[in-house]
Amino acid sequence: MHYLLALLLALLSLLVISYPLLKARQREDEPQPPSNADNPLTRNIESAFDEIDQLQMEFELGVIEPDDYQRRMDELRRDAAESLRAYDQQSPASPDDLDALLEERIRLRRLTLRNDSSESP
């Protein structure tokens, strides 16, 4: 009787420990939504947002001066707006396409923030 109870407790412990690992692996194996990375305008938009993120980080670290930051930020915002306008004119996107683009951008930003927070001491 004691052996059976010990075996059941060991199995339960194994399940409790392995469940989060299996769940994480399932999320990694899920297919990613199709991206518009083949579209040069999409790459321009992503590049502009990445440059904005980089510029904000450099400003927060004190690498660049406030005047330079503001001037460069205005340029990047203008470039991003022009790319977005060109993207809209090239192919009028359905709300689902815009949602997918925004969701992908949010997912990438969250991953970046998670990686940044895990690297800091």
Side-chain angles (χ1 to χ4, degrees), residues 1-114:
M1 179 69 178
H2 294 292
Y3 292 114
L4 182 60
L5 182 60
L7 180 63
L8 287 175
L9 286 175
L11 286 174
L12 180 65
S13 300
L14 185 62
L15 286 174
V16 168
I17 291 171
S18 63
Y19 179 75
L21 299 174
L22 294 174
K23 192 69 171 171
R25 179 170 283 170
Q26 283 178 342
R27 273 187 256 135
E28 290 173 1
D29 293 341
E30 289 177 0
Q32 297 296 323
S35 69
N36 295 330
D38 296 336
N39 186 339
L41 290 174
T42 304
R43 284 195 300 269
N44 288 347
I45 294 167
E46 288 297 320
S47 174
F49 283 126
D50 291 341
E51 288 181 41
I52 288 171
D53 288 342
Q54 182 72 25
L55 184 65
Q56 287 174 338
M57 184 176 63
E58 289 175 358
F59 179 69
E60 289 172 4
L61 292 173
V63 175
I64 59 174
E65 297 295 319
D67 293 337
D68 292 335
Y69 168 77
Q70 191 60 47
R71 181 185 49 77
R72 183 70 180 132
M73 184 61 79
D74 291 341
E75 292 172 6
L76 289 173
R77 286 179 179 156
R78 197 173 309 112
D79 292 344
E82 290 171 4
S83 295
L84 285 169
R85 267 190 231 106
Y87 182 81
D88 283 343
Q89 290 173 354
Q90 175 193 4
S91 61
S94 69
D96 291 337
D97 292 341
L98 293 175
D99 286 346
L101 184 63
L102 286 173
E103 287 295 328
E104 180 68 15
R105 182 68 187 156
I106 291 169
R107 186 183 70 79
L108 290 173
R109 182 68 175 159
R110 284 181 180 161
L111 284 173
T112 303
L113 290 174
R114 257 190 239 137

